[in-house]
Amino acid sequence: MNSQNQLFKPDGKNSIHDGIEHSPSGGKALIDPTDTVLLLLDHQTGLFQNVKDIAVADLRRNTTALAKLAALIDLPLIITASIPEGPNGPLMPEIQQVAPHAVYVPRKGEVNAWDNALFVKTVRETGKKTLIIAGVWTNVCVMFPALDAKAEGYNVYVVIDASGDPSELASRTTLARFTQAGVIPTSTNAVTCELHRTWNRPDAAQLAELYCMASPSYQAVMESFNKAQEVEDAKQTNNGTKTTRSTTPALAVQSR
């Protein structure tokens, strides 16, 4: 069984079940992984050429990290594209490469994915009421379905750094409209942390690798820590005083 399924239960409490006593109020304001579906919308190569508010390399890396997170913790993932045979271009291939469980929903020319009956049906059939959405462009492909889903009663989060717009101005005005409508802006790193919740889990090292994608400097932190431990262990071995260390699984990840 996936460790995420063991850690969290669909009881509405969003508490951690890892055999450790936790505060009963912890997690109540956070995303519940048992009630969540990830929607990656229109991450298309043609649209990428007009993204100016974030580096396209960062956008693609963050989007890939979200897809890998979904695959790791068995989070439902729905993807779609707006006329992939046209100038908007095909979806970035990384998503389906790292998350083969992703469900692709074709559209019939609708700009707003929420106008497509099959797309909405697919979302509803997950039974989840919390949507995490990212896409290109933020002010269209993300905003339109986010507002419609919010109006329909869903809890909606938008991952800003896994989305992109033609300008900083477009991004800022879209962010204002999100907050006015009650759509919650967030980041790739925050989503990962919110669904992660504890290092006391067997897939902690794999989660640490996702942090390295969302924040590449985190890799340097782990590498320097691991190297310092190796040096200290070597000293103790030479002195005949080897000490057994206990570290979080994340810090045991070796550089690749």
Side-chain angles (χ1 to χ4, degrees):
M1 179 181 291
N2 183 280
S3 62
Q4 187 85 351
N5 298 332
Q6 297 173 327
L7 282 170
F8 301 98
K9 302 181 185 299
D11 55 10
K13 297 179 181 179
N14 199 22
S15 55
I16 304 170
H17 299 272
D18 59 359
I20 297 173
E21 183 180 1
H22 299 287
S23 166
S25 61
K28 291 189 181 298
L30 302 182
I31 298 172
D32 182 351
T34 69
D35 186 45
T36 299
V37 56
L38 174 63
L39 309 180
L40 297 180
L41 313 178
D42 303 341
H43 286 92
Q44 297 169 250
T45 58
L47 294 175
F48 281 153
Q49 297 178 51
N50 293 290
V51 169
K52 304 300 180 185
D53 64 325
I54 183 173
V56 172
D58 293 339
L59 168 58
R60 294 184 75 142
R61 186 180 64 250
N62 290 333
T63 302
T64 303
L66 289 176
K68 291 187 73 170
L69 175 65
L72 178 64
I73 66 174
D74 289 341
L75 196 71
L77 169 57
I78 301 171
I79 59 178
T80 187
S82 171
I83 315 182
E85 66 276 9
N88 285 358
L91 282 169
M92 55 181 278
E94 298 97 312
I95 296 174
Q96 289 169 299
Q97 289 170 357
V98 302
H101 77 298
V103 176
Y104 174 74
V105 178
R107 305 212 301 272
K108 298 178 179 179
E110 301 96 339
V111 173
N112 176 8
W114 212 261
D115 278 327
N116 182 276
L118 179 59
F119 181 84
V120 176
K121 179 176 181 287
T122 304
V123 173
R124 288 174 180 164
E125 286 179 345
T126 67
K128 314 296 185 182
K129 295 299 292 183
T130 300
L131 309 182
I132 299 174
I133 307 177
V136 181
W137 295 325
T138 317
N139 70 341
V140 178
C141 306
V142 177
M143 184 171 69
F144 293 178
L147 295 180
D148 277 344
K150 181 64 179 177
E152 196 167 316
Y154 285 89
N155 303 311
V156 182
Y157 293 77
V158 169
V159 190
I160 299 300
D161 63 356
S163 306
D165 257 330
S167 70
E168 289 281 357
L169 179 60
S171 184
R172 290 197 300 270
T173 56
T174 302
L175 186 61
R177 192 169 177 186
F178 281 150
T179 55
Q180 290 167 356
V183 172
I184 303 170
T186 187
S187 67
T188 302
N189 194 66
V191 167
T192 305
C193 287
E194 243 172 298
L195 297 178
H196 172 183
R197 294 284 297 282
T198 177
W199 288 113
N200 187 36
R201 52 190 298 164
D203 56 0
Q206 292 164 285
L207 284 159
E209 292 181 359
L210 297 183
Y211 289 119
C212 294
M213 293 181 70
S215 179
S217 297
Y218 192 60
Q219 180 73 49
V221 172
M222 292 195 298
E223 288 171 353
S224 61
F225 179 86
N226 289 335
K227 187 60 179 179
Q229 282 204 316
E230 290 174 10
V231 171
E232 183 61 25
D233 288 346
K235 288 180 180 178
Q236 292 186 9
T237 298
N238 292 335
N239 294 332
T241 57
K242 176 72 174 178
T243 300
T244 300
R245 298 181 182 276
S246 176
T247 65
T248 64
L251 296 176
V253 176
Q254 299 299 315
S255 61
R256 293 173 293 166

